[in-house]
Amino acid sequence: MTLSLPAFRKSSGVLLAVAYTALTFGTAITPVAAEARDGTTHYRAELAQPTTKTLEIIRGTPWQCSGTVCVAPKAGSRPVNVCKAFVREFGEVATFTVKGEALAEDKMAKCQPA
């Protein structure tokens, strides 16, 4: 005697697995919104030009991007150094904030490409 599930249960299990995967994948491809909701955003950069990159790890800090906005959790470096490393990877930024406050003008000038 072989035990097996009826065809209905098999197909509903597959459907449930596909739906779960679609939902979790949707969260993975909308990182900026998810990051902002859970309150772990420490750095936020707005790029001068949109990027196609969605996830980039720069000096150990994971940056999640969507269009012209990128966010990241707190890093071990000073904010101006984090900004410099970010700019080397992504290019010019329009704004760079730390815990919701804009980077000081003098530090922002050091951060931008020469």
Side-chain angles (χ1 to χ4, degrees):
M1 176 187 212
T2 305
L3 297 176
S4 67
L5 294 172
F8 172 73
R9 288 193 182 213
K10 287 181 185 177
S11 62
S12 64
V14 170
L15 182 61
L16 183 61
V18 169
Y20 178 77
T21 302
L23 288 173
T24 57
F25 183 70
T27 300
I29 61 172
T30 55
V32 174
E35 187 80 16
R37 275 195 310 270
D38 68 15
T40 59
T41 299
H42 190 78
Y43 301 107
R44 183 178 191 278
E46 186 165 342
L47 298 163
Q49 299 293 320
T51 183
T52 57
K53 297 178 185 179
T54 56
L55 175 65
E56 189 71 29
I57 298 176
I58 304 170
R59 298 179 71 189
T61 303
W63 285 89
Q64 296 181 323
C65 302
S66 178
T68 59
V69 177
C70 297
V71 296
K74 187 174 182 177
S77 299
R78 293 181 304 161
V80 69
N81 291 337
V82 173
C83 183
K84 284 179 183 180
F86 180 84
V87 167
R88 276 194 294 273
E89 184 67 35
F90 283 94
E92 185 179 355
V93 293
T95 62
F96 192 88
T97 60
V98 181
K99 292 193 288 186
E101 294 186 27
L103 201 60
E105 284 187 40
D106 61 327
K107 293 181 180 175
M108 190 69 170
K110 291 178 185 177
C111 174
Q112 296 291 19

